[in-house]
Amino acid sequence: MQAQPDFDDLKVIAFDVFGTVVDWHGGIASEVERLLPGVDGSAFALAWRAGYQPAMRAVMDRIASGEGGFTLIDELHLNILEGVLRDFGVTHIDAAGKRELNRAWHRLPAWPDAVAGLTRLKSKYIVCTLSNGNIGLLTEMAKNAGLPWDCVLSAEVFKAYKPDPRTYLGVAAVFDTSPGQVMLAAAHQDDLAAARACGLRSAYIERPHEFGANRPKDVSAHPDNTLHARDIGALADLLGC
Amino acid sequence: MQAQPDFDDLKVIAFDVFGTVVDWHGGIASEVERLLPGVDGSAFALAWRAGYQPAMRAVMDRIASGEGGFTLIDELHLNILEGVLRDFGVTHIDAAGKRELNRAWHRLPAWPDAVAGLTRLKSKYIVCTLSNGNIGLLTEMAKNAGLPWDCVLSAEVFKAYKPDPRTYLGVAAVFDTSPGQVMLAAAHQDDLAAARACGLRSAYIERPHEFGANRPKDVSAHPDNTLHARDIGALADLLGC
């Protein structure tokens, strides 16, 4: 398929990672069931993930009020985990076990189309992460799952989490491009809307089973996105890779 | 070859890039001769590179005195280039030509052993850059030369240039390791000494022709380094990869 002419100046495709490139729900659920037999892995994964946005907002509020510094997601995940373990009544796990469970986020499996799709896109564009995950987490995940990033960019580099404009504009600054030469690819409309507000292009990736096979999510197209793709391979088709 | 037992806990090998992984002298000299016919490419490359350390020191001095912020190497290279062009009496180059020449640093060729050696090391360790070059420069260089980094780390991430301890200790922090679980590989003894002072291990890589085939440099072993290798392939041999 030929790329549309108006993608001629596109230079960078930055990917959201959790949910868009890797299956956090399936990965966490199976590691929870492996490490904590008898616990409902799916419910545990949903509860753990639900703590993520409030924890990031609390960090940004503390930074804004001058009361704290930037915090890596590994540390936020571990703090959230304490509460989830309590809520699920899990008491038979020591500190080393908690760290091992926390590293499940470093071992999340790629969606089946991700490695091949990214490899195709990489032939034509700079393909990087733009995730709130920390650099170490994203690097180990990529090594484990075979994700062929040209570069691992993270909230850790910009000292701000998405949807802070510093993250989206930071990608353009890193590669010395205009915002419009960068496209964010994500399975989340709010992430894409924040990127568009900064002048980036946006590609929605359908991940109907992000929250589990039994909890299909709405993946209908939003007219403001530049592109809408079933998966990363379909995005490569649309961009003529 | 078997790795020595005391490398069992080694996790990350961070590479200096200019001179260690890529041939800045040969790359710049040939691009200068292509873009500025009649100019002595080797002398030009040496003069350009000679401006690098003083420019970084000036930035760090300005930051320390509160008079300026962190500056990307792309910008320092462009500033130094202005003076070198003047010194070489080159007046027939416009702003676009200067930018094109400045991007020669993004296109430096890898030393012949680099891609295969890094690929071997990557099978066992996290293999990343630790360069004063900016992320965009290092990413485009890697894409162009096929360097298979797991992660691109840069002075830009730590907002300090080597030999500032924040850079060496920053690598350990990113990967949540002790400093001793990180090894710096470099063709420069001063870089390695600064890394050792932070508790990192050190591997010297011989690059006798870093300054050109006619200007061999001393590549003798320093007893304080953990390892001494002829090239990156030899480092992979020493580490049993």
Side-chain angles (χ1 to χ4, degrees):
Chain A
M1 191 181 293
Q2 277 301 301
Q4 299 302 309
D6 63 357
F7 294 117
D8 280 356
D9 67 341
L10 185 64
K11 190 171 166 191
V12 181
I13 307 180
F15 278 83
D16 173 65
V17 174
F18 297 120
T20 301
V21 178
V22 298
D23 176 10
W24 61 264
H25 177 273
I28 295 298
S30 78
E31 292 248 15
V32 165
E33 289 170 7
R34 179 174 71 84
L35 293 166
L36 303 174
V39 171
D40 177 343
S42 172
F44 196 101
L46 293 168
W48 201 351
R49 179 73 175 171
Y52 186 66
Q53 295 292 345
M56 288 190 293
R57 274 197 298 273
V59 170
M60 293 311 283
D61 288 348
R62 282 199 300 273
I63 292 174
S65 68
E67 287 167 23
F70 186 77
T71 307
L72 300 187
I73 292 298
D74 273 338
E75 188 179 333
L76 297 187
H77 276 153
L78 196 58
N79 293 343
I80 301 163
L81 176 61
E82 296 284 356
V84 178
L85 287 168
R86 206 164 39 238
D87 292 346
F88 278 72
V90 179
T91 53
H92 56 287
I93 182 170
D94 61 8
K98 289 174 192 170
R99 280 197 303 275
E100 164 72 0
L101 185 53
N102 203 48
R103 290 175 64 87
W105 295 92
H106 296 220
R107 296 185 294 259
L108 295 176
W111 293 110
D113 52 283
V115 172
L118 293 173
T119 302
R120 289 172 61 196
L121 290 167
K122 187 174 166 164
S123 67
K124 195 164 170 183
Y125 302 104
I126 293 172
V127 172
C128 67
T129 59
L130 180 61
S131 169
N132 289 330
N134 43 296
I135 300 172
L137 179 160
L138 295 168
T139 301
E140 293 193 350
M141 174 197 286
K143 228 170 151 61
N144 189 59
L147 302 170
W149 305 119
D150 288 313
C151 179
V152 172
L153 293 181
S154 156
E156 184 178 358
V157 174
F158 306 116
K159 300 289 183 281
Y161 305 109
K162 294 189 293 180
D164 189 299
R166 282 173 284 184
T167 59
Y168 307 108
L169 296 174
V171 178
V174 158
F175 294 113
D176 194 22
T177 68
S178 68
Q181 291 179 284
V182 180
M183 177 180 278
L184 181 74
H188 310 120
Q189 299 289 8
D190 53 350
D191 196 4
L192 295 168
R196 286 196 307 273
C198 292
L200 277 70
R201 295 192 238 194
S202 62
Y204 182 78
I205 310 292
E206 295 184 6
R207 294 298 182 197
H209 300 129
E210 176 177 0
F211 299 97
N214 300 327
R215 290 176 192 76
K217 75 173 192 188
D218 177 14
V219 294
S220 52
H222 190 295
D224 290 346
N225 285 321
T226 316
L227 294 172
H228 180 102
R230 193 186 65 256
D231 60 19
I232 300 175
L235 180 63
D237 289 342
L238 290 170
L239 288 166
C241 295
Chain B
M1 191 180 294
Q2 276 302 302
Q4 298 303 307
D6 63 356
F7 294 117
D8 280 356
D9 67 340
L10 185 63
K11 188 171 167 190
V12 181
I13 307 179
F15 277 82
D16 173 64
V17 174
F18 298 120
T20 301
V21 179
V22 298
D23 175 10
W24 61 264
H25 177 274
I28 295 297
S30 78
E31 292 247 16
V32 165
E33 288 170 8
R34 178 174 72 84
L35 294 166
L36 303 174
V39 171
D40 178 342
S42 173
F44 196 101
L46 293 169
W48 201 351
R49 180 73 174 170
Y52 185 66
Q53 294 292 345
M56 288 189 294
R57 275 196 298 271
V59 169
M60 293 312 283
D61 287 349
R62 282 199 301 273
I63 292 173
S65 68
E67 287 168 23
F70 186 77
T71 308
L72 300 188
I73 292 297
D74 273 339
E75 187 179 335
L76 297 186
H77 276 153
L78 195 59
N79 293 343
I80 301 163
L81 176 61
E82 296 284 356
V84 178
L85 287 168
R86 206 163 42 237
D87 293 345
F88 278 72
V90 178
T91 53
H92 56 287
I93 183 170
D94 61 8
K98 289 174 192 169
R99 279 197 303 274
E100 163 72 359
L101 186 52
N102 202 50
R103 291 175 62 88
W105 294 93
H106 296 219
R107 297 185 292 260
L108 295 176
W111 292 111
D113 52 283
V115 173
L118 293 174
T119 302
R120 288 171 61 196
L121 289 168
K122 188 176 163 160
S123 67
K124 195 164 169 182
Y125 303 104
I126 292 173
V127 172
C128 66
T129 59
L130 181 61
S131 168
N132 288 329
N134 44 295
I135 301 171
L137 179 160
L138 294 168
T139 301
E140 293 193 351
M141 173 198 284
K143 226 168 152 63
N144 189 59
L147 301 169
W149 303 120
D150 288 314
C151 179
V152 172
L153 292 181
S154 156
E156 184 178 358
V157 174
F158 306 116
K159 300 289 183 281
Y161 305 110
K162 293 187 295 179
D164 189 298
R166 282 172 285 185
T167 59
Y168 307 109
L169 296 174
V171 178
V174 158
F175 294 113
D176 194 22
T177 68
S178 69
Q181 291 179 284
V182 180
M183 177 179 279
L184 182 74
H188 311 119
Q189 299 289 8
D190 53 350
D191 195 4
L192 295 168
R196 286 195 307 273
C198 292
L200 277 71
R201 294 193 237 195
S202 63
Y204 183 77
I205 309 293
E206 294 184 8
R207 294 299 182 196
H209 299 129
E210 176 177 0
F211 300 97
N214 300 328
R215 290 177 193 76
K217 76 173 191 187
D218 177 13
V219 294
S220 51
H222 190 295
D224 290 347
N225 285 320
T226 316
L227 294 172
H228 179 103
R230 193 186 65 257
D231 60 20
I232 300 175
L235 179 62
D237 289 341
L238 290 170
L239 289 167
C241 296

